[in-house]
Amino acid sequence: MKKILVTGGLGYIGSHTVVELQEAGYEVVVIDNLDNSSLEIKNRIEKISGCTLEVIVSDINNEDVLDEVFETYRFDGVIHFAAYKAVGESVENPIKYYRNNIGGLIQILAAMQKHEVSNLIFSSSCTVYGVAKELPVTENTPIQLAESPYGTTKIMGEELIQDFIQYQSIKAVLLRYFNPVGAHPSALIGELPNGVPSNLVPYITQTAAGIREQLTVHGNDYNTEDGSCIRDYIHVVDLAKAHVKALAYAETMKDKVEVFNVGTGNGTSVLEIIRAFEQQCNLKLNYRIGPRREGDVEQIFADTTKIKKALKWEADYGIEEMMYHAWMWQKNIPT
Ligand code: UD1
């Protein structure tokens, strides 16, 4: 049985990926500092997959713990999720982001080198494309200067990995996620936002649940059909499955590094998302149109030709399931 270390494996994308890995027959060890999760998620993952899960509660920046974990389990690969992801917070506290997202990655690379682990899957983001010069964006669309320290950590993370592995026997797959939303169909795991969500879908579900009074649509004067911004929303379970494929691919790929966009290839506007949510969940959402949000790009969606061909992966779920599962999860969030 292949053994995989998943950092941040109790987090949003991490937990869904752990389920898919266990269901695909991998032995999974998670290291998570519970910063944006709870140990209850471990029980829920086990309930879905029917497999026990080894969880080490620690920060990846704790070098001694990391060393011991790598020493104890001889990993075949690492999927590295553990990172902060709030764009606004990163602007207020850049050092926190550099320290955790870049510092943590360095710890992981050092441990992989020392313990001779050869496959890495890295969580990157479509944020690296900034205001893209062409749509849909392919993996060759030029990377732009980052709009936030969070974005900087993703660009630097990619560069650091590409540089480091030239001199090592390590292979890496860099996955550029578009907008992950939704939750596991069992409604046992999903996103647990810290405080007031800044992302659209958790804000929608919290508004519908009465936790937030009203959703604000950030601008309806963009140059799009209905005036609201367009994104490529991807169901978190589809995204999780892409990691399992990427891992198998890393083991056999010829090049040392490959980059893939992970999206559906479809652009959906904020107002379309709201409409889909209302229809799927059979309720009315309290929302208003507000001003544009600073730093938002008008539209971005993925060209998914490369991942379809190389990984034989393609998204199954549509917007309808994304909204329905997000709502089912909201109603089932552990307290
Ligand atoms: C953001 C980051 C992205 C990051 C992701 C992490 C930017 C430019 N991008 O994506 O790099 O990987 O979060 O999760 O910051 N919206 C509203 N009302 C709300 C919230 C959002 O109208 O209350 C709109 C936004 O203007 C945007 C869309 O919904 O058009 C999606 O927003 P969001 O979920 O925050 O994701 P991104 O900003 O696309």
Side-chain angles (χ1 to χ4, degrees):
M1 225 180 180
K2 294 223 162 122
K3 238 179 250 168
I4 306 301
L5 176 67
V6 181
T7 74
L10 297 187
Y12 177 41
I13 307 171
S15 58
H16 290 82
T17 302
V18 170
V19 166
E20 296 304 321
L21 286 167
Q22 289 187 320
E23 288 181 346
Y26 287 94
E27 188 180 335
V28 181
V29 176
V30 162
I31 183 164
D32 196 302
N33 67 1
L34 305 184
D35 195 81
N36 201 3
S37 187
S38 81
L39 267 181
E40 170 60 17
I41 301 302
K42 165 181 147 65
N43 303 331
R44 289 171 171 236
I45 292 171
E46 289 176 337
K47 203 166 165 189
I48 300 170
S49 69
C51 305
T52 54
L53 177 65
E54 194 75 42
V55 175
I56 291 111
V57 178
S58 169
D59 199 295
I60 51 165
N61 287 295
N62 186 330
E63 211 173 322
D64 294 338
V65 172
L66 202 64
D67 193 47
E68 198 186 313
V69 171
F70 272 81
E71 189 65 47
T72 309
Y73 307 94
R74 296 175 56 79
F75 296 117
D76 297 286
V78 175
I79 305 186
H80 178 44
F81 292 108
Y84 295 136
K85 59 159 193 173
V87 175
E89 183 193 46
S90 80
V91 174
E92 271 147 41
N93 198 348
I95 296 295
K96 179 175 172 181
Y97 276 68
Y98 306 149
R99 195 168 271 148
N100 191 45
N101 294 11
I102 306 288
L105 173 62
I106 293 170
Q107 299 288 0
I108 294 297
L109 293 176
M112 289 182 70
Q113 178 185 25
K114 180 171 174 194
H115 298 276
E116 297 178 347
V117 181
S118 49
N119 301 305
L120 172 67
I121 313 298
F122 177 69
S123 302
S124 189
S125 165
C126 69
T127 199
V128 302
Y129 299 117
V131 180
K133 297 223 162 64
E134 55 192 28
L135 283 172
V137 290
T138 74
E139 290 78 357
N140 295 323
T141 299
I143 285 178
Q144 307 278 329
L145 264 185
E147 297 264 348
S148 69
Y150 159 77
T152 304
T153 65
K154 290 299 170 192
I155 296 172
M156 285 179 70
E158 286 197 6
E159 282 181 0
L160 206 71
I161 292 168
Q162 306 221 29
D163 190 58
F164 181 70
I165 64 178
Q166 282 182 63
Y167 318 108
Q168 308 294 327
S169 53
I170 297 177
K171 289 182 189 174
V173 176
L174 315 179
L175 298 179
R176 292 181 182 154
Y177 311 153
F178 281 66
N179 286 55
V181 297
H184 197 270
S186 65
L188 286 169
I189 55 172
E191 190 167 8
L192 287 169
N194 257 347
V196 182
S198 53
N199 293 121
L200 178 64
V201 176
Y203 209 104
I204 288 179
T205 58
Q206 289 196 4
T207 304
I211 302 167
R212 312 279 155 217
E213 207 182 313
Q214 190 178 49
L215 169 82
T216 302
V217 174
H218 297 317
N220 70 344
D221 56 352
Y222 286 97
N223 188 22
T224 60
E225 206 153 296
D226 64 23
S228 63
C229 289
I230 288 177
R231 297 286 182 275
D232 185 340
Y233 296 90
I234 164 123
H235 196 295
V236 66
V237 170
D238 280 329
L239 176 58
K241 287 180 177 163
H243 290 77
V244 181
K245 296 260 184 167
L247 200 55
Y249 184 78
E251 284 167 7
T252 57
M253 73 188 191
K254 286 192 204 76
D255 293 327
K256 298 213 77 172
V257 62
E258 283 283 2
V259 182
F260 294 106
N261 284 340
V262 198
T264 62
N266 303 315
T268 308
S269 75
V270 175
L271 293 170
E272 283 171 337
I273 287 283
I274 293 172
R275 231 167 291 126
F277 180 81
E278 290 184 327
Q279 268 168 19
Q280 286 307 306
C281 308
N282 203 16
L283 37 83
K284 280 239 69 66
L285 195 71
N286 182 18
Y287 72 91
R288 69 176 188 103
I289 308 293
R292 291 182 176 196
R293 181 173 71 175
E294 206 184 320
D296 268 341
V297 303
E298 183 171 279
Q299 48 180 317
I300 187 159
F301 47 96
D303 182 312
T304 56
T305 312
K306 187 178 175 197
I307 192 166
K308 274 186 191 154
K309 193 162 169 228
L311 300 197
K312 315 241 169 338
W313 171 93
E314 164 163 32
D316 284 332
Y317 287 117
I319 292 293
E320 294 74 21
E321 290 114 332
M322 296 182 210
M323 295 304 115
Y324 184 69
H325 293 155
W327 180 230
M328 290 297 108
W329 160 246
Q330 177 68 54
K331 294 202 288 188
N332 204 31
I333 284 182
T335 44

